[in-house]
Amino acid sequence: MSLGIMEEEDLAEYFRLQYGERLLHLLQKFPKTEEQSDFPTIQLLEKRKEATVMHQAMEHKKETFKRRMETLNLRWEELGNREEQLKAHIQKFEQFIQENDQKRVRALKKANKERELRRQCLRELASARQEMAALRLEHQQLSTKLQEYSIFNKYLERVVESSEFEEIHEVIARYKTLVSMHHDLMQSAQEGQEKIERAKARLARYMEEKDDEILQHNNELARLQMRLDRARSDVIVWESRWAHIQNTAAKKTLLLGTIKMATLNLFQIISKQLKESTQVSLDDTHKQLDMIQQFIQDLSDIWAEVKKKDQMQARA
C-alpha cells in the first residue's frame, strides 16, 4: 500500500497493530500481588491512567506520523514533478542530440560538397592553366606568322597604290568574293559531274538491261527457230505419213468394196436358196453378214444331223 494515499482508517489500523501488542505486553509485566487483588478499584484507576497516558502517547505518535506522512506526500509530489521535469529535460536533450546529429550530417555533406567543389575548381584551374599555356603558345606562333606575313601586307599596300582599290580590305574582300565564286563554280561543276556520272550509271544500267533483253530475245528467237526447223521436219514426216495413209486408205477402200460385193453375192445366193423375201437393204452389209452367218450355222447343224444319222445307219 502506498503511503501517499493512506486514509485515516488505515492509520488507526496501523497504530493498533503496532502498539496494541506492546500495551498488552506492558500489562502482562505488572505483577499480580495479593494487595492489588484486594484493591481492584485502585488498580483499575492506575490502569486507566496508564491507558490514558498510552492513548495520549499514541495520539501524539499518530499526529507525528500523520505530519510525517503529509511531509512524505509533499516530497512524493515534488519527486513526481521533478520526474516529469527530468523526462521533459531528457526529451529535450534527445531532441537536441537528434538535431545535432542532423546538423552534423548536413555539415558533413556540406564539407564533402565543398571538398568536391574545391577539387573541381582545382581541376578547372589546372585546365585553365593548360589552356592559358596553349593560348600563349598559339599567340607566340601567331606573332611569328604575323612577322612572316608582314611582307604580304607591304605587297598589298603596293597593290593598292598601283590599282583601283583604295584600301587593303577592299582587295581582301575582292579576293574573298573571287574565292567564293570559284568555290561555287567548283561546287556547280562537281554537282554537274555527279549528275553526269549518275546519268552514265543509269545509261550503263539501261544498256545492260537492254543487252540482257536482247540476249533473252535472241535465245527465244533461236529456240523458236529450232521449233520451226523441227516443225518443218515433222511436216515432211507427216506428209509422207499422210501419203501412206491415203494409199493405205485407197487399198482398204478397194478391199472393203470387194468384201461388200462378195457379201452381197453370198447374200443373194442364200436368199435364192431360202426362197424368202428379206427386208435387208443392199447397203446394210452387217445384216447381210448376220444372215450369212445364220445360214452357215443352220447348214452346219443340218450337216451334223445328217452325219449323225449316217453313223447310226452304218452301225445298224
Side-chain angles (χ1 to χ4, degrees), residues 241-255:
R241 287 183 180 180
W242 176 247
H244 177 70
I245 289 170
Q246 286 181 343
N247 293 329
T248 304
K251 291 179 180 179
K252 289 189 178 293
T253 302
L254 181 60
L255 179 62

Side-chain angles (χ1 to χ4, degrees), residues 255-269:
L255 179 62
L256 179 62
T258 304
I259 292 171
K260 284 184 176 181
M261 289 297 295
T263 302
L264 179 60
N265 291 329
L266 287 174
F267 177 71
Q268 289 175 354
I269 293 169

Side-chain angles (χ1 to χ4, degrees), residues 192-210:
Q193 187 66 28
E194 290 177 355
K195 290 181 180 179
I196 292 172
E197 294 296 331
R198 288 196 294 271
K200 286 181 178 179
R202 289 197 298 271
L203 179 61
R205 288 196 299 271
Y206 179 77
M207 292 296 292
E208 185 177 358
E209 292 176 357
K210 292 304 177 181

Side-chain angles (χ1 to χ4, degrees), residues 86-274:
L86 184 60
K87 287 181 179 179
H89 285 303
I90 291 172
Q91 186 175 3
K92 289 181 180 179
F93 182 73
E94 290 177 352
Q95 186 176 1
F96 174 74
I97 293 297
Q98 187 176 3
E99 291 177 355
N100 283 339
D101 290 338
Q102 293 177 357
K103 289 179 180 179
R104 183 176 60 81
V105 171
R106 287 197 295 270
L108 289 174
K109 289 182 179 178
K110 185 176 180 181
N112 292 330
K113 188 174 181 180
E114 289 178 353
R115 282 195 296 271
E116 184 63 27
L117 183 61
R118 183 171 177 273
R119 294 193 190 97
Q120 185 176 359
C121 290
L122 291 175
R123 289 194 295 270
E124 290 178 356
L125 180 60
S127 177
R129 287 176 178 174
Q130 292 177 359
E131 187 176 358
M132 179 64 72
L135 289 174
R136 286 177 180 173
L137 179 62
E138 185 178 1
H139 180 267
Q140 185 178 0
Q141 293 174 354
L142 290 174
S143 298
T144 304
K145 286 184 179 180
L146 182 60
Q147 293 177 0
E148 294 176 356
Y149 294 161
S150 60
I151 58 175
F152 298 105
N153 188 23
K154 295 177 181 179
Y155 173 76
L156 290 173
E157 289 177 353
R158 289 196 298 270
V159 170
V160 169
E161 291 176 357
S162 62
S163 65
E164 61 183 3
F165 300 103
E166 295 180 357
E167 295 181 358
I168 294 175
H169 68 85
E170 293 180 356
V171 178
I172 295 173
R174 179 62 177 171
Y175 172 75
K176 289 182 178 179
T177 302
L178 292 174
V179 170
S180 178
M181 291 177 63
H182 180 265
H183 178 71
D184 294 336
L185 290 173
M186 290 297 293
Q187 187 174 1
S188 299
Q190 185 177 0
E191 291 178 355
Q193 187 66 28
E194 290 177 355
K195 290 181 180 179
I196 292 172
E197 294 296 331
R198 288 196 294 271
K200 286 181 178 179
R202 289 197 298 271
L203 179 61
R205 288 196 299 271
Y206 179 77
M207 292 296 292
E208 185 177 358
E209 292 176 357
K210 292 304 177 181
D211 289 338
D212 292 338
E213 291 180 2
I214 291 171
L215 181 61
Q216 291 177 0
H217 289 315
N218 289 331
N219 293 332
E220 183 69 18
L221 183 62
R223 187 176 61 82
L224 293 174
Q225 185 65 38
M226 291 176 63
R227 289 182 62 185
L228 179 61
D229 294 339
R230 286 198 300 271
R232 286 177 178 175
S233 61
D234 291 340
V235 166
I236 296 172
V237 173
W238 284 108
E239 285 179 351
S240 62
R241 287 183 180 180
W242 176 247
H244 177 70
I245 289 170
Q246 286 181 343
N247 293 329
T248 304
K251 291 179 180 179
K252 289 189 178 293
T253 302
L254 181 60
L255 179 62
L256 179 62
T258 304
I259 292 171
K260 284 184 176 181
M261 289 297 295
T263 302
L264 179 60
N265 291 329
L266 287 174
F267 177 71
Q268 289 175 354
I269 293 169
I270 291 169
S271 296
K272 289 180 180 180
Q273 292 291 330
L274 294 175

Side-chain angles (χ1 to χ4, degrees), residues 1-7 11 14 65 69-70 72-73:
M1 182 183 294
S2 176
L3 296 176
I5 57 173
M6 188 176 290
E7 301 294 338
L11 289 173
Y14 174 75
F65 182 76
M69 290 300 299
E70 290 176 355
L72 288 173
N73 287 332

